[in-house]
Amino acid sequence: MTERTIRVDYLARVEGEGAFRLRMTGGRVEEAELRIFEPPRFFEAFLKGRSYAEAPDITARICGICPVAYQMSSTQAMERALGLRVDPALKDLRRLLYCGEWIESHALHIYLLHAPDFLGYPDAIRLAKDHPEAVARGLALKKAGNAVLETLGGRSVHPINVRVGGFYRVPTREEMDRLRSVLSGALAEAEETVRFVSGFPFPPVEEDYEFVALTSPDEYPLGEGTVTSSAGFTVPPERFEEVFEESQVPYSHALQSHRRKAGAYLVGPLARYALNHDRLTPRVRQAARDAGLPPVVRNPDQSIVVRALEVLYAVEEGLRLAEAYRVPPRPAVEMPDPVPAAEGVGITEAPRGMLYHRYRLGEGGIIQEARIVAPTSQNQARIEEDLRHLAERTPDLDEARLTSALEHAIRNHDPCISCATHFLKLDLVRQ
Amino acid sequence: MHEEVLLHDLVEKVAEVSLTQGALRVTRVRLWVGALSHFSEATLRARWPGAVKGTPAEGSRVEVETSDDPNDPRATGLFLVSLDVEEGPPGGSGGVPSRAGPGPG
């Protein structure tokens, strides 16, 4: 028996937080379970006892990709609870901030996570070697989105300028002029992105999705609206929990959402586009026609084109808001004093889909109960169905290629899962 | 939020290295913890016996070097520095450095 020391110098990494268990008999899928191992984080629990004013900054930490979404849904819920009416100019600023997040998040998703799947590269680094102009375009768009976040949010990662009732500080005219110039320059990049991704190969696959998204009469939804389903109903945000429920499945730490007495549903770009196509701008609708997209897209792979259209929309809408900017007379509306006991709900459209927040406040505005339903959770069950159908369509793929195809199918909807599961562990049993 | 996963990843690496190096078992593991890594030495020590249960590192001793330099380029990281392993009779796998050097950074 001898002893020796082995030098390793290995950096521990967050990867492989997901697994897909697939049991097939012949070509038939008997079992398909998407398992997420990431431990629960208990945000809803530790919000209890904190001030209503802290919710935007605490919940923003839930996601490093879409912190603005958490700020928007939490502020909306608090403002509804307290009966606050935010000035229209401040609402426009929030919409502009949200455009920034859509641009940077979608650009990341499209170019750094999803495009390599279509072009046969394992990652964006390898993609950049052969297509440096494409990756540079993606980074330029992401930078434009970051500029919006920096101008309105104070910094590009986890912005700190959003508060219940408005902002801590609003931009100067000069700052907004600089931003307008950035967004103006990004328009051509966004249009080229639609052309770039619409040329990818899309196998003729359609899924029978129930789409759920916010809708509002006058605008493509970002910060507010009514919950609408392609199954033919609408509900106000306050009734969200009556219609949709989150539940625990025994094989995953992540919760799954379903429509009560119905089943899985899909939120995100495909849903927003299908339910709000006529509220896109003429330029975006023309880009969709040029890309060959119908007003309702059920091919999950083509989500990348819809996501690109949303980038174009967000750049154009952001530019419109920046051009129309007048420095508001006040950065935020007054808070009630004392803060009463109250309850409120907020739903906004995160890049990956509807994000629901509900808070119950006690006297003094102390949070007594918090409920957050993220788009990742809402899409989980529907993604699992996509994976099942993919496995049924491709029973003969070897394990490595099937794993790669499954990762691609997850990235059709959600980089929050897939970037952490770039090494999705496939537990495949063929009988 | 990712402590469990990082620890799991690290233990998997320990198992992989010991296996590929033909070790019988791992007796000691040296870790390096950056000042901004959100890991504490106490947490690692407490979690270690459970994390390595059922692996070649079960029963191993863990030694943790903690950096207090937030400007270290590796400050956010948790590193597996080295393993001490027991091997079978001479003639097994060779060509591996016999001593660990200093920790990262």
Side-chain angles (χ1 to χ4, degrees), chain B residues 43-90:
Chain B
T43 304
L44 283 167
R45 286 191 186 288
R47 302 286 308 153
W48 190 255
V52 297
K53 198 170 180 182
T55 77
E58 183 166 352
S60 63
R61 190 155 49 93
V62 63
E63 289 183 5
V64 183
E65 181 187 349
T66 306
S67 165
D68 59 1
D69 179 7
N71 296 315
D72 189 305
R74 299 182 176 194
T76 57
L78 165 66
F79 285 81
L80 170 60
V81 179
S82 67
L83 321 176
D84 284 4
V85 298
E86 281 181 3
E87 295 177 311

Side-chain angles (χ1 to χ4, degrees), chain A residues 1-17 37-39 41 61-62 420 425, chain B residues 1-2 5-6 9 13 21 24 77-87 93 96-97 99 101-102:
Chain A
M1 188 83 68
T2 58
E3 282 197 21
R4 66 176 169 134
T5 298
I6 304 170
R7 173 72 181 243
V8 184
D9 277 353
Y10 172 78
L11 171 65
R13 296 177 298 179
V14 179
E15 280 172 352
E17 286 189 279
F37 305 137
E38 182 182 321
R41 294 187 288 159
R61 293 296 174 143
I62 290 174
K425 293 185 176 89
Chain B
M1 71 185 251
H2 294 304
V5 182
L6 285 168
D9 180 59
K13 189 68 181 179
Q21 296 289 327
L24 293 176
L78 165 66
F79 285 81
L80 170 60
V81 179
S82 67
L83 321 176
D84 284 4
V85 298
E86 281 181 3
E87 295 177 311
S93 60
V96 183
R99 287 302 312 166

Side-chain angles (χ1 to χ4, degrees), chain A residues 53-67:
Chain A
E54 293 181 284
D57 287 326
I58 292 175
T59 59
R61 293 296 174 143
I62 290 174
C63 181
I65 304 176
C66 60

Side-chain angles (χ1 to χ4, degrees), chain A residues 302-431:
Chain A
Q302 285 183 307
S303 63
I304 194 168
V305 186
V306 175
R307 197 166 283 110
L309 290 169
E310 288 197 335
V311 172
L312 178 58
Y313 176 81
V315 172
E316 201 182 2
E317 176 71 351
L319 186 57
R320 180 187 73 78
L321 292 163
E323 284 174 344
Y325 182 65
R326 301 283 179 276
V327 178
R330 55 181 180 173
V333 299
E334 295 293 321
M335 293 297 110
D337 185 17
V339 177
E343 184 160 350
V345 161
I347 305 184
T348 67
E349 285 284 352
R352 273 154 293 290
M354 288 194 322
L355 171 59
Y356 173 82
H357 284 221
R358 176 173 58 78
Y359 299 96
R360 186 162 53 80
L361 306 178
E363 296 294 337
I366 300 301
I367 297 170
Q368 294 185 331
E369 185 187 347
R371 184 78 195 279
I372 296 170
V373 184
T376 295
S377 144
Q378 294 182 74
N379 278 341
Q380 199 97 206
R382 189 48 249 202
I383 289 174
E384 198 173 74
E385 287 186 22
D386 274 21
L387 301 182
R388 169 189 283 272
H389 297 161
L390 171 64
E392 284 169 348
R393 287 195 304 273
T394 56
D396 300 324
L397 277 187
D398 63 51
E399 200 160 327
R401 290 175 64 201
L402 181 57
T403 302
S404 172
L406 291 166
E407 288 179 351
H408 174 156
I410 294 173
R411 280 190 282 275
N412 282 338
H413 303 294
D414 202 324
C416 289
I417 303 171
S418 55
C419 70
T421 58
H422 215 330
F423 296 87
L424 183 75
K425 293 185 176 89
L426 177 61
D427 178 10
L428 175 62
V429 180
R430 282 188 168 124
Q431 292 167 333

Side-chain angles (χ1 to χ4, degrees), chain A residues 169-247:
Chain A
R169 173 189 177 275
V170 292
T172 63
R173 181 69 250 177
E174 293 70 30
E175 286 170 331
M176 196 60 90
D177 283 344
R178 283 198 291 275
L179 189 56
R180 190 179 58 184
S181 170
V182 169
L183 290 170
S184 179
L187 258 183
E189 310 273 17
E191 286 190 309
E192 183 54 32
T193 297
V194 178
R195 282 192 287 275
F196 174 61
V197 299
S198 62
F200 290 172
F202 299 112
V205 172
E206 292 215 329
E207 289 284 344
D208 185 20
Y209 293 121
E210 177 182 344
F211 294 125
V212 180
L214 294 181
T215 58
S216 72
D218 305 320
E219 58 190 25
Y220 200 75
L222 279 101
E224 56 192 354
T226 305
V227 179
T228 302
S229 163
S230 59
F233 67 88
T234 62
V235 287
E238 292 74 19
R239 291 188 50 212
F240 178 87
E241 289 180 56
E242 288 175 35
V243 180
F244 303 97
E245 64 178 342
E246 267 189 321
S247 58

